[in-house]
């Protein structure tokens, strides 16, 4: 076991909160269950919760029904505008800038894209054993823990969900699995054939139409079925289920022909005879609509099971009455991919991969024991808050070295006491949230801070600050983020810029760096550090690096070493791919900043040094395989 997992004594808790008359009146719940239902790329405007301007085109009856038993947080945010950093942040309770996991597909040697002049900073692929996940925290407190669906928090064996605190894991794509080979979106529909892996259900569900007044069938979805299995098999004990759906991420398709036809009729569109990318703008893609409703159907299946199942630990109550349900999405909606138009985040600006509202504002519902029903709150909430809040709701205790490092806040006062402000550890109201995404061109490469009505951005390519006022006097003002008022409001810009800069410094947030090969005409590039000596001593496994004198100063240095899983045995004559990743290790710098040493771990199979100079140029040493 990677941490001290001495189980704490299971404490029988009695909740005695006095809520308003429309709350779930269950004051004696023993060890409540917790479910996080986490969607993928589901936008704030992709559900029937926060309709602004044009109503949502997608039907989400089960999400609407859950909202009647929940608090809808209209200012709920993901920790990042892309999925892997949000998932790592939710699981660890740590800001992406702190873990360094600030984008997807990490663990590689930094490089600049062909069209970009800046190199992205190094960032790890996923969580490592030194992180203490919410699953480990709850397991320490007597919970059974299950993960179903998308992991995306590391692919090495030591990073697997079952090595990060989960007792049970099922991580197939289920019905999200896209067509393979010659198949396309028009000929890969599920059937009632008993040999069909996605066999259509005998039970009928929404939508109810003239053609199907009793409802339609849905393809078998392994993600949903395994979530139900985990709940059923673990109801005798308190359980935590992290149900991380693959939907509604690309590829955009549906195995449900009846549901697809329903959306074609609703949207007044026809499927082409040849499968081509859907290019009609707005919320007009029937494939995407079918995916949203399938996601909603999955949530409905889970809730139906909870509602009909007795809680054996709480006599006289159903599991639904003793379970906290958190529904949200890993980032804002992905509007397009290549030529395919998926959905539309309007009136929010932009979408996935952007720190604008469309990329980070997400649907967020929280229901459960003592939480008021059918409430809407506009208080600022971040998914980083889930970890400390769950600890509070379940009365779970973890070592101080982990609890003191959490970046989110306990929002149980808002959930249970109907308070209007989230309080920090000093008892003062939360003032702001911030995001860090140092990737891509100058339209993406930025950090952002939301403070009250205002949102400020720092662009790392141009160095400029942009300020928007989203709300004024409690009403929508510039939610579209179309008007930059940085020059009109210099004091606010200065104050928020100072806050943001402090966050970046305190968290040691990594920034984009200049690629020397893309700045050949600049004077500073001629003075970049030059490596003259790079020696590895096999006996001590120490590397010694020496730099040429007279060049620019190095302000940051580290080594990257490559580690991998052990080679796996062949299966049926096929070689199994061995997973590997680069991890960052510290470097000792000499007093003159010209000599650097580090020790290559025994597990490493490759190593190299990275240097950053005072002009923000990144210098990469040669990478060597360890013999």
């Amino acid at each position: 076991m990677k941490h001290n997992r001495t189980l704490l004594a299971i404490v029988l808790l009695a909740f005695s909160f006095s809520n308003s008359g429309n709350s779930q009146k269950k004051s004696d719940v023993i060890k409540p269950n917790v479910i996080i239902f986490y969607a993928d790329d589901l936008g704030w405007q992709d559900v029937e919760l926060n309709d602004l301007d044009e109503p949502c085109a997608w039907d989400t009856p089960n999400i609407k029904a859950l909202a009647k038993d929940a608090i809808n947080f209209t200012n709920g945010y993901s920790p990042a505008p892309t999925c892997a950093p949000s998932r790592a942040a939710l699981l660890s309770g740590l800001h992406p800038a702190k873990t360094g996991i600030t984008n997807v597909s990490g663990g590689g040697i930094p490089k600049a894209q062909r069209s970009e002049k800046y190199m992205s900073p190094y960032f790890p692929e996923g969580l490592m054993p030194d992180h203490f996940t919410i699953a480990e925290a709850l397991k320490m407190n007597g919970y059974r823990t299950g993960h179903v669906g998308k992991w995306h928090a590391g692919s090495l064996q030591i990073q697997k969900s079952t090595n990060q605190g989960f007792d049970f894991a099922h991580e197939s794509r289920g019905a999200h699995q896209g067509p393979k080979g010659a198949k396309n979106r028009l000929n890969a529909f599920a059937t009632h054939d008993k040999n069909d892996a996605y066999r259509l259900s005998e039970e009928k569900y929404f939508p109810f139409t003239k053609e199907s007044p009793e409802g339609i069938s849905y393809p078998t979805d392994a993600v949903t079925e395994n979530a139900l299995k985990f709940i059923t098999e673990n109801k005798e004990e308190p359980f935590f289920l992290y149900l991380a759906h693959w939907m509604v991420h690309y590829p955009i398709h549906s195995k449900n022909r009846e549901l697809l036809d329903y959306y074609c009729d609703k949207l007044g569109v026809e499927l082409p005879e040849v499968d081509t990318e859907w290019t009609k703008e707005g919320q007009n893609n029937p494939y995407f609509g079918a995916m949203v409703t399938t996601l909603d159907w999955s949530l409905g299946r889970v809730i139906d099971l909870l509602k009909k199942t007795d809680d054996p630990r709480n006599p006289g109550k159903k599991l639904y009455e003793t379970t906290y349900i958190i529904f949200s999405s890993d980032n804002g909606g992905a509007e397009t991919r290549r030529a395919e138009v998926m959905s539309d985040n309007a009136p929010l600006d932009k979408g996935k991969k952007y720190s604008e509202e469309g990329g980070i504002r997400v649907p967020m519902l929280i229901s459960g024991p003592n939480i008021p029903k059918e409430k809407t709150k506009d208080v600022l909430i971040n998914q980083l808050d889930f970890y400390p809040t769950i600890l509070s709701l379940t009365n779970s205790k973890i070592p101080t070295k982990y609890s003191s490092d959490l970046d989110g806040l306990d929002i149980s006062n808002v959930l249970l006491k109907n308070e209007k402000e989230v309080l920090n550890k000093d008892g003062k109201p939360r003032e702001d949230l911030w995001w860090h995404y140092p990737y891509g061109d100058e339209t993406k490469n930025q950090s952002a801070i939301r403070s009250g009505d205002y949102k400020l951005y720092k662009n790392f390519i141009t160095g400029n600050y942009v300020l928007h006022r989203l709300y004024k006097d409690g009403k929508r003002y510039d939610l579209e983020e179309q008007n930059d008022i940085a020059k009109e409001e210099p004091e606010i810009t200065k104050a928020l810029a100072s806050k943001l800069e402090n966050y970046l410094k305190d968290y040691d947030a990594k920034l984009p760096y200049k690629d020397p090969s893309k700045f050949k005409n600049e004077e500073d590039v001629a003075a970049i550090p030059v490596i003259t000596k790079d020696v590895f001593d096999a006996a001590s496994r120490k590397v010694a690096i020496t730099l040429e004198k007279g060049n620019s100063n190095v302000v940051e240095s580290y080594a990257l070493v490559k580690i991998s899983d052990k080679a796996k045995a062949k299966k049926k004559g096929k070689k199994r791919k061995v997973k590997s990743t680069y991890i960052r290790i510290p470097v000792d710098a000499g007093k003159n900043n010209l000599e650097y040493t580090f020790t290559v771990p025994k597990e490493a199979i490759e190593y190299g040094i990275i240097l950053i100079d005072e002009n923000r140029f990144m210098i990469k040493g040669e990478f060597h395989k360890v013999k």
Side-chain angles (χ1 to χ4, degrees):
M1 295 184 179
K2 66 183 186 180
H3 293 293
N4 179 8
R5 292 175 175 156
T6 303
L7 293 179
L8 302 178
I10 298 179
V11 181
L12 301 182
L13 304 176
F15 287 85
S16 58
F17 303 107
S18 56
N19 275 325
S20 57
N22 65 343
S23 65
Q24 296 184 34
K25 297 179 180 178
K26 303 297 174 185
S27 59
D28 54 350
V29 173
I30 298 174
K31 278 289 188 184
N33 309 304
V34 179
I35 296 176
I36 296 178
F37 192 103
Y38 210 39
D40 195 343
D41 289 359
L42 185 72
W44 192 64
Q45 291 291 84
D46 283 333
V47 295
E48 296 176 286
L49 292 177
N50 308 304
D51 284 341
L52 292 179
D53 301 338
E54 296 295 327
C56 176
W58 320 130
D59 292 300
T60 54
N62 294 297
I63 294 171
K64 285 174 63 178
L66 178 61
K68 292 182 179 180
D69 284 338
I71 296 176
N72 176 22
F73 290 99
T74 59
N75 280 272
Y77 288 94
S78 61
T82 53
C83 56
S86 288
R87 293 164 193 275
L90 182 152
L91 290 162
S92 69
L94 305 179
H95 195 284
K98 183 179 287 184
T99 62
I101 306 169
T102 46
N103 204 356
V104 298
S105 303
I109 300 173
K111 63 180 181 180
Q113 298 298 320
R114 183 176 300 178
S115 60
E116 297 168 4
K117 298 176 68 174
Y118 285 77
M119 289 193 221
S120 300
Y122 164 81
F123 61 100
E125 180 188 11
L127 298 173
M128 282 294 181
D130 57 327
H131 296 110
F132 191 70
T133 69
I134 183 62
E136 290 175 291
L138 291 175
K139 187 172 181 177
M140 175 181 282
N141 284 270
Y143 277 74
R144 292 287 295 170
T145 56
H147 170 247
V148 176
K150 185 174 181 178
W151 179 238
H152 214 178
S155 60
L156 295 185
Q157 288 296 318
I158 58 174
Q159 297 175 299
K160 290 179 64 174
S161 57
T162 48
N163 287 324
Q164 301 275 359
F166 287 99
D167 300 311
F168 172 84
H170 178 89
E171 294 165 0
S172 78
R173 286 184 176 269
H176 182 265
Q177 182 65 53
K180 294 182 178 180
K183 293 184 177 181
N184 60 40
R185 294 190 288 188
L186 296 176
N187 60 17
F189 298 112
T191 67
H192 285 284
D193 189 321
K194 64 180 181 180
N195 295 318
D196 189 337
Y198 306 103
R199 185 180 182 182
L200 290 169
S201 64
E202 296 300 324
E203 299 80 10
K204 302 295 183 178
Y205 305 93
F206 176 91
F208 308 98
T209 65
K210 289 182 179 180
E211 294 78 13
S212 303
E214 296 182 359
I216 67 172
S217 298
Y218 278 72
T220 300
D221 175 39
V223 174
T224 305
E225 296 306 321
N226 277 276
L228 302 178
K229 175 184 177 183
F230 173 79
I231 293 170
T232 301
E233 294 181 352
N234 291 278
K235 63 184 179 181
E236 300 287 340
E237 302 176 62
F239 63 80
F240 166 58
L241 172 62
Y242 172 50
L243 202 176
H245 253 282
W246 294 86
M247 294 184 184
V248 291
H249 193 284
Y250 193 88
I252 307 304
H253 69 103
S254 176
K255 292 179 169 60
N256 192 333
R257 181 57 194 259
E258 278 192 282
L259 188 56
L260 192 58
D261 288 340
Y262 166 77
Y263 269 108
C264 286
D265 291 341
K266 179 178 180 178
L267 299 171
V269 299
E270 292 185 7
L271 287 178
E273 294 182 4
V274 178
D275 185 16
T276 58
E277 291 178 303
W278 198 269
T279 58
K280 187 175 182 179
E281 294 184 353
Q283 291 185 329
N284 285 295
N285 189 328
Y287 295 106
F288 188 83
M291 290 180 73
V292 173
T293 298
T294 300
L295 177 79
D296 179 85
W297 164 84
S298 178
L299 175 67
R301 293 284 310 282
V302 171
I303 291 176
D304 285 345
L305 177 64
L306 297 175
K307 285 184 174 180
K308 74 180 184 182
T309 304
D310 292 330
D311 185 341
R313 297 182 301 106
N314 293 275
K317 296 171 187 168
K318 300 295 186 182
L319 287 177
Y320 186 67
E321 300 173 276
T322 61
T323 301
Y324 288 103
I325 302 173
I326 300 174
F327 171 83
S328 198
S329 175
D330 60 352
N331 47 249
E335 294 183 312
T336 60
R337 188 179 189 273
R338 300 193 180 100
E340 181 98 9
V341 176
M342 293 178 269
S343 192
D344 192 339
N345 295 322
L348 303 186
D349 189 31
K350 299 186 172 64
K352 181 180 179 180
K353 298 185 180 179
Y354 291 88
S355 299
E356 278 77 9
E357 292 294 286
I360 55 175
R361 191 182 291 217
V362 291
M364 188 180 293
L365 296 174
I366 302 180
S367 71
N370 299 295
I371 293 179
K373 293 185 177 184
E374 206 166 4
K375 293 288 186 180
T376 299
K377 292 183 180 290
D378 60 5
V379 61
L380 294 182
I381 302 292
N382 191 297
Q383 290 167 3
L384 286 166
D385 301 333
F386 293 172
Y387 196 135
T389 302
I390 290 171
L391 293 182
S392 177
L393 293 174
T394 60
N395 199 28
S396 295
K397 307 298 180 185
I398 60 175
T400 303
K401 67 176 180 178
Y402 298 123
S403 61
S404 62
D405 201 31
L406 296 176
D407 289 311
L409 299 178
D410 176 7
I411 66 169
S412 59
N413 67 314
V414 174
L415 293 175
L416 303 176
K417 300 178 182 179
N418 202 31
E419 294 183 5
K420 295 182 179 180
E421 299 286 351
V422 174
L423 304 180
N424 63 24
K425 295 175 182 178
D426 297 325
K428 297 179 180 179
R430 163 180 275 159
E431 294 184 353
D432 42 61
L433 299 173
W434 72 288
W435 298 266
H436 183 58
Y437 190 73
Y439 305 98
D441 59 26
E442 64 182 64
T443 64
K444 298 187 183 79
N445 209 315
Q446 56 192 5
S447 284
I449 183 170
R450 166 85 193 270
S451 183
D453 292 343
Y454 295 91
K455 183 104 170 278
L456 178 124
Y457 299 86
K458 178 182 181 179
N459 189 288
F460 293 119
I461 306 301
T462 66
N464 293 336
Y465 292 102
V466 172
L467 179 68
H468 300 294
R469 183 166 190 172
L470 307 182
Y471 298 94
K472 186 176 183 179
D473 299 327
K475 297 181 180 180
R476 170 181 169 183
Y477 187 68
D478 184 24
L479 194 57
E480 296 84 352
E481 298 182 275
Q482 298 302 300
N483 302 309
D484 178 10
I485 58 172
K487 293 181 179 178
E488 299 171 28
E489 299 285 358
E491 293 302 318
I492 295 174
T493 300
K494 181 179 178 181
L496 293 186
S498 177
K499 277 189 172 185
L500 183 57
E501 294 293 348
N502 285 336
Y503 278 128
L504 294 171
K505 180 180 179 182
D506 292 345
Y507 281 71
D508 191 25
K510 303 306 177 186
L511 308 177
Y513 302 104
K514 294 179 181 178
D515 181 346
S517 67
K518 305 288 182 68
F519 288 84
K520 294 180 179 180
N521 296 326
E522 285 199 10
E523 181 179 345
D524 292 337
V525 76
I528 63 173
V530 176
I531 297 173
T532 59
K533 181 181 178 182
D534 183 348
V535 178
F536 173 66
D537 181 83
S540 64
R541 299 185 69 85
K542 283 194 173 182
V543 177
I545 304 288
T546 303
L547 304 184
E548 181 180 86
K549 295 181 180 179
N551 294 315
S552 56
N553 293 323
V554 172
V555 296
E556 183 182 353
S557 59
Y558 59 91
L560 292 179
V561 299
K562 190 175 186 179
I563 61 173
S564 68
D565 291 331
K566 293 182 180 179
K568 299 177 182 178
K570 294 181 180 180
K571 183 178 181 181
K572 295 181 180 180
K574 295 182 180 180
K575 290 184 178 181
R576 290 186 175 182
K577 186 177 181 180
V578 177
K579 301 288 186 180
S580 61
T581 189
Y582 289 92
I583 61 172
R584 176 173 170 152
I585 63 171
V587 167
D588 293 323
K591 293 182 179 179
N592 56 7
N593 262 7
L594 294 176
E595 297 174 352
Y596 299 85
T597 59
F598 60 92
T599 301
V600 179
K602 292 182 179 180
E603 300 82 7
I605 57 177
E606 189 178 324
Y607 69 88
I609 194 167
I610 303 291
L611 305 170
I612 310 297
D613 81 350
E614 58 191 332
N615 299 309
R616 288 182 64 193
F617 281 106
M618 177 183 282
I619 298 89
K620 295 183 287 187
E622 184 178 351
F623 275 71
H624 307 276
K625 294 187 182 299
V626 181
K627 298 180 180 179

